[in-house]
Amino acid sequence: MTKTIAVSNTPFIKEDVVSEQLSAIDHELVPIETGDTDGIVEADPNAVILDVNTGVTAELVAQLDNLEIVARAGTGFDNVDVEACQDAGIPVVNVPGYSTNEVSTHAFSLLLACRRTLVEYDRDVKAEEWNWMPNRTFPRFYGSTLGIVSFGTIARRIAELTAGFDLDLVVYDPYVDQEVADEYDAEIVEFDELLERSDAVTIHAPLTDETHHMFDAEAFETMADHAIVVNVGRGGIIDEDALYDALVEREIFGAGLDVMEEEPPFGSKLLERDDVVLTPHAAWYSADSHQDLNETVSNDVLRALQGEDPENTVEPKGW
């Protein structure tokens, strides 16, 4: 019996790799435009392999008679109603760890680029302006305080990467205790204290009701005027209007954003700011991580379609 796999039609998912990994079974890949849930219903697949912009709701699950597994090609799964899938006996899998080094390195790169105003320097030199004295003074990075919001695998890698800079690490994560933080010489604090103490903040949390717009006008007012914020979690964690106002009013120094509330963010006022460094949700990417992602997610789909337990099943949880 041929197994039908609905696959988000995006370069993120490499159909040739998926098909090769599924070669042990008779299968057909059905490309679905990102976000097209009607296309998924029409395909009535045995499996779906989804990008971040295609949601799986309880209503969608109820319309699919043959669905055996939902596979999120990535780490975050906030676009999937995991509880609805579980109630229907359908496992949900993701791909944890495939880009830990990439995302942590990217976050650290954004952090340094913002702290050292590298993009602004680059623009000035290319405009034939040779001025080492910036319009805004900034403090030394070495020995400063780094705040980390959500202390999962990527954030812990950040802690390791910054070890040589003699930073004080403060962490806000309601789901991690001090014993874990001690392994990284970090201190668990409340959110307001993190904002008050940090010279820079990196965000790694998923988007939930709890984290939506947690960086709002009040949060930016609490931060030091030399502070920077880096977001490689989810765009909706930052209220972008509040961020724009905070930058205009010089309440914070700058921001490095790999994720935005609307992607692509064309038309956003933040594109006008020299004190914002933007990348196109690319923190996860390297040729190696791209390959690992596709092989791992495909292998879990294969296991499920062969009646075996997937390796990377996720559970509904907080952050």
Side-chain angles (χ1 to χ4, degrees):
M1 175 181 174
T2 301
K3 297 289 187 177
T4 301
I5 297 95
V7 180
S8 291
N9 187 17
T10 166
F12 201 79
I13 300 172
K14 302 170 73 171
E15 291 186 23
D16 58 336
V17 175
V18 172
S19 190
E20 180 180 354
Q21 298 302 118
L22 295 175
S23 60
I25 61 173
D26 187 12
H27 68 278
E28 176 188 9
L29 299 187
V30 179
I32 303 293
E33 293 304 313
T34 183
D36 181 16
T37 54
D38 289 339
I40 295 175
V41 173
E42 183 177 347
D44 196 13
N46 301 97
V48 290
I49 302 178
L50 304 170
D51 67 335
V52 68
N53 295 313
T54 303
V56 174
T57 63
E59 291 75 15
L60 177 61
V61 172
Q63 296 179 74
L64 301 176
D65 297 325
N66 297 310
L67 190 61
E68 299 176 55
I69 184 172
V70 172
R72 167 70 176 95
T75 302
F77 49 90
D78 44 276
N79 56 319
V80 178
D81 189 329
V82 178
E83 291 183 350
C85 291
Q86 288 184 334
D87 290 343
I90 299 165
V92 177
V93 299
N94 69 340
V95 190
Y98 78 100
S99 61
T100 296
N101 285 310
E102 283 78 5
V103 177
S104 57
T105 301
H106 196 94
F108 194 31
S109 299
L110 287 172
L111 176 61
L112 291 177
C114 291
R115 181 76 294 154
R116 298 295 306 169
T117 67
L118 296 186
V119 173
E120 294 173 66
Y121 277 140
D122 175 73
R123 289 170 182 162
D124 286 348
V125 173
K126 289 176 179 176
E128 300 186 354
E129 296 179 23
W130 192 261
N131 181 21
W132 58 265
M133 174 63 79
N135 293 326
R136 302 171 296 144
T137 60
F138 52 83
R140 176 179 289 148
F141 180 65
Y142 186 91
S144 62
T145 299
L146 175 63
I148 301 176
V149 176
S150 185
F151 201 54
T153 304
I154 292 169
R156 295 174 197 186
R157 185 67 180 126
I158 286 276
E160 294 171 347
L161 290 176
T162 59
F165 289 87
D166 196 29
L167 302 182
D168 290 326
L169 300 181
V170 293
V171 171
Y172 173 66
D173 190 327
Y175 303 95
V176 171
D177 58 30
Q178 186 59 52
E179 184 177 356
V180 173
D182 285 341
E183 299 175 21
Y184 299 87
D185 293 325
E187 179 185 356
I188 299 292
V189 298
E190 293 300 318
F191 184 55
D192 284 346
E193 182 177 350
L194 177 140
L195 296 175
E196 292 171 357
R197 291 175 56 183
S198 296
D199 300 296
V201 176
T202 63
I203 303 170
H204 307 274
L207 182 61
T208 66
D209 290 342
E210 187 179 1
T211 64
H212 180 257
H213 282 190
M214 66 185 300
F215 280 81
D216 56 11
E218 182 178 354
F220 293 125
E221 288 173 4
T222 304
M223 297 176 73
D225 59 8
H226 66 264
I228 58 177
V229 59
V230 169
N231 190 7
V232 293
R234 283 289 182 263
I237 296 171
I238 292 179
D239 180 337
E240 292 176 6
D241 289 335
L243 172 60
Y244 178 84
D245 292 341
L247 292 165
V248 170
E249 298 299 325
R250 300 296 197 194
E251 291 175 343
I252 66 170
F253 187 84
L257 309 176
D258 185 57
V259 289
M260 303 282 285
E261 289 198 82
E262 296 290 335
E263 295 180 357
F266 304 149
S268 169
K269 295 182 293 184
L270 292 173
L271 273 64
E272 305 166 4
R273 303 290 307 180
D274 286 339
D275 48 11
V276 178
V277 180
L278 299 171
T279 56
H281 205 145
W284 65 274
Y285 178 75
S286 72
D288 298 308
S289 62
H290 197 187
Q291 184 73 12
D292 290 348
L293 167 70
N294 281 271
E295 289 181 359
T296 302
V297 75
S298 302
N299 286 332
D300 257 351
V301 169
L302 178 62
R303 290 185 187 94
L305 296 183
Q306 290 180 323
E308 303 171 9
D309 292 332
E311 290 186 349
N312 298 299
T313 304
V314 303
E315 298 289 340
K317 60 179 182 178
W319 59 279

